[in-house]
Each structure stands twice: as structure tokens, then as C-alpha cells.
């Protein structure tokens, strides 16, 4: 797929970088490219920090990513 003109959008926000990394693995295993923001800051300052990790996917993959994560036991923050 050509992602040159695609926008990145937030899929979910997680409690800590470990959960976000696990979610990234689930998405990538299912062929959905993604990235995590705030991962390092959350690791340094902990889950209670303002730096909640967020998973970004390309907008064209958003619906498929939601379906994949709905079937996954890795839960994002409730206030998303």
C-alpha cells in the first residue's frame, strides 16, 4: 500500500509503554503499520505521568485496526 498521502491518526491511548508496545505488536502481526508516541517519556516518568503512550495508524487502516484491537485482550484507557 502507498502511504505517501495518508494522515496519521490516534488509534488508542494506553496506561503505560508496555501495554502500548504489546498493542503495536498485535497490529504489526496483523499487517497494520503503526507507531507509538510518548513511549520513552512514559517509561522514564511512569504510568502516572502526563505522558500517556498513544498508538498512531494511517487513516486508511483505522477501521481495520479498530477491529483487530477489539478482538485483542490489550485494553486502552477508558477515557479515550
Amino acid at each position: 500500500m502507498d502511504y505517501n498521502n495518508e494522515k496519521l491518526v490516534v488509534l488508542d491511548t494506553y496506561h503505560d509503554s508496555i501495554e502500548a508496545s504489546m498493542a503495536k505488536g498485535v497490529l504489526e502481526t496483523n499487517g497494520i503499520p503503526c507507531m507509538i508516541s510518548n513511549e520513552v517519556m512514559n517509561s522514564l516518568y511512569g504510568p502516572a505521568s502526563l505522558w500517556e503512550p498513544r498508538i498512531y495508524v494511517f487513516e486508511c487502516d483505522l477501521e481495520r485496526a479498530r477491529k483487530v484491537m477489539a478482538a485483542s485482550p490489550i485494553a486502552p484507557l477508558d477515557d479515550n
Side-chain angles (χ1 to χ4, degrees), residues 10-31:
V10 175
L11 173 65
D12 280 317
T13 302
Y14 289 84
H15 294 281
D16 60 44
S17 57
I18 295 170
E19 289 177 346
S21 293
M22 291 170 52
K24 182 179 183 204
V26 169
L27 291 167
E28 289 177 341
T29 298
N30 284 279

Side-chain angles (χ1 to χ4, degrees), residues 1-6 31-33 58-62 64:
M1 170 165 254
D2 180 16
Y3 291 108
N4 287 333
N5 296 319
E6 286 295 324
I32 301 170
F58 289 103
E59 192 169 38
C60 62
D61 291 331
L62 183 59
R64 189 164 62 105

